[in-house]
Amino acid sequence: MPVSTSVPDGGVAVVTVDYAPVNALPVRGWYDLADAVRAAGRDPEVRCVVLAAAGRGFNAGVDIKEMQRDVGHQALIGANRGCYEAFSAVYECEVPVVAAVQGFCLGGGIGLVGNADAIVASDDATFGLPELDRGALGAATHLARLVPQHLMRALYYTSRTVTAAELHAHGSVWRVVPRAELLTAALELAHEMARKDGTLLRLAKAAINGIDPVDVHRSYRFEQGFTFEANLSGLADRIRDGFGGAANGRTTTAKEQEQKEKEQEQEDPA
């Protein structure tokens, strides 16, 4: 199944996403992920949830090809609503959520990990928002939870990525381990949390969310309004067709084109 849940032991549930080849989720996938995380959090036997992914990367964002096949805007609306639901499910999960991140974590992946309670990453993990190269906006709300404000802006405007080691230095990644040890390390942290009283953990999660300085729901929906504007105006399509550079009035260099094609391969399913 593309989204599955297992409960190994010790009050920890593992929700795993598996959308080959790169975990770029279709509209249905975002809703299925939201449902799985919410269900795990409601289980009275579960005291911590690990959010994991199969394959070479944690998450490549939305399935852009699904939107390109849609002659109207239903896929765009569905993706925006689906992402909102999945991000909210992670944030509102009744128990702590530990994200286990390997490979690339792009676009919607930032929304997931930015709303998680803790992140464990493999040493090959990279994090970024290539939204401006894809004719989209959004998830700056969640990137701002991982890095300082000015770094968030620079990463957002350039579409660059940062490594797990860099995020560890900023304090937003709990631990960086070899890929083969990722799930074990995430489970270790989750089990340490799960040894606490389940009722008290749920109270703690609600209390911590209640003192957040930014309303992540309202902030992200505000960003999504500009995504709609870019798509309705036709700007998003022009940028996607031009790989980000040509639409801005300059010629994309061969090196830039090669890099953007690599990113396209990661973000779009084959």
Side-chain angles (χ1 to χ4, degrees), residues 76-122:
L76 171 65
I77 293 171
N80 275 16
R81 288 180 175 174
C83 285
Y84 179 86
E85 288 299 320
F87 301 169
S88 295
V90 172
Y91 185 79
E92 295 170 347
C93 183
E94 295 180 25
V95 297
V97 176
V98 175
V101 181
Q102 83 276 11
F104 46 84
C105 178
L106 304 171
I110 295 294
L112 296 172
V113 302
N115 271 359
D117 294 277
I119 304 168
V120 176
S122 62

Side-chain angles (χ1 to χ4, degrees), residues 19-241:
Y19 274 93
V22 294
N23 285 322
L25 273 59
V27 171
R28 184 69 260 164
W30 292 106
Y31 282 104
D32 288 346
L33 176 56
D35 290 344
V37 171
R38 287 195 173 105
R42 286 194 300 266
D43 185 339
E45 299 300 316
V46 171
R47 296 185 296 282
C48 188
V49 173
V50 172
L51 180 58
R56 55 195 177 103
F58 176 78
N59 190 284
V62 303
D63 183 349
I64 292 178
K65 290 183 179 179
E66 182 181 39
M67 286 193 287
Q68 290 174 329
R69 290 191 297 266
D70 182 12
V71 296
H73 298 292
Q74 289 308 303
L76 171 65
I77 293 171
N80 275 16
R81 288 180 175 174
C83 285
Y84 179 86
E85 288 299 320
F87 301 169
S88 295
V90 172
Y91 185 79
E92 295 170 347
C93 183
E94 295 180 25
V95 297
V97 176
V98 175
V101 181
Q102 83 276 11
F104 46 84
C105 178
L106 304 171
I110 295 294
L112 296 172
V113 302
N115 271 359
D117 294 277
I119 304 168
V120 176
S122 62
D123 52 15
D124 66 346
T126 56
F127 302 74
L129 288 178
E131 312 306 275
L132 268 65
D133 286 342
R134 299 292 176 260
L137 297 168
T141 293
H142 311 92
L143 184 59
R145 296 167 69 84
L146 303 176
V147 297
Q149 180 68 212
H150 285 83
L151 178 56
M152 179 275 287
R153 289 172 179 256
L155 292 172
Y156 196 83
Y157 297 146
T158 61
S159 298
R160 291 193 185 191
T161 59
V162 290
T163 66
E166 289 172 310
L167 289 189
H168 182 265
H170 286 294
S172 48
V173 165
W174 175 261
R175 188 178 173 195
V176 180
V177 297
R179 180 182 282 230
E181 300 173 16
L182 177 61
L183 186 57
T184 299
L187 286 170
E188 286 178 357
L189 177 59
H191 280 119
E192 184 175 349
M193 295 178 181
R195 285 195 288 270
K196 307 300 182 184
D197 179 84
T199 301
L200 195 59
L201 265 179
R202 284 170 165 78
L203 290 174
K205 178 68 180 276
I208 290 175
N209 280 2
I211 62 171
D212 255 341
V214 174
D215 182 338
V216 296
H217 305 307
R218 184 167 57 85
S219 179
Y220 179 54
R221 288 300 273 175
F222 180 82
E223 290 187 74
Q224 285 186 322
F226 291 95
T227 299
F228 279 116
E229 182 176 330
N231 278 270
L232 291 174
S233 68
L235 175 62
D237 288 335
R238 292 198 301 274
I239 290 178
R240 280 193 288 265
D241 291 343

Side-chain angles (χ1 to χ4, degrees), residues 132-133 157-159 238-239 242-257 260:
L132 268 65
D133 286 342
Y157 297 146
T158 61
S159 298
R238 292 198 301 274
I239 290 178
F243 279 96
N248 292 324
R250 69 175 181 84
T251 301
T252 304
T253 67
K255 185 174 181 180
E256 288 173 331
Q257 182 76 6
K260 290 181 185 299

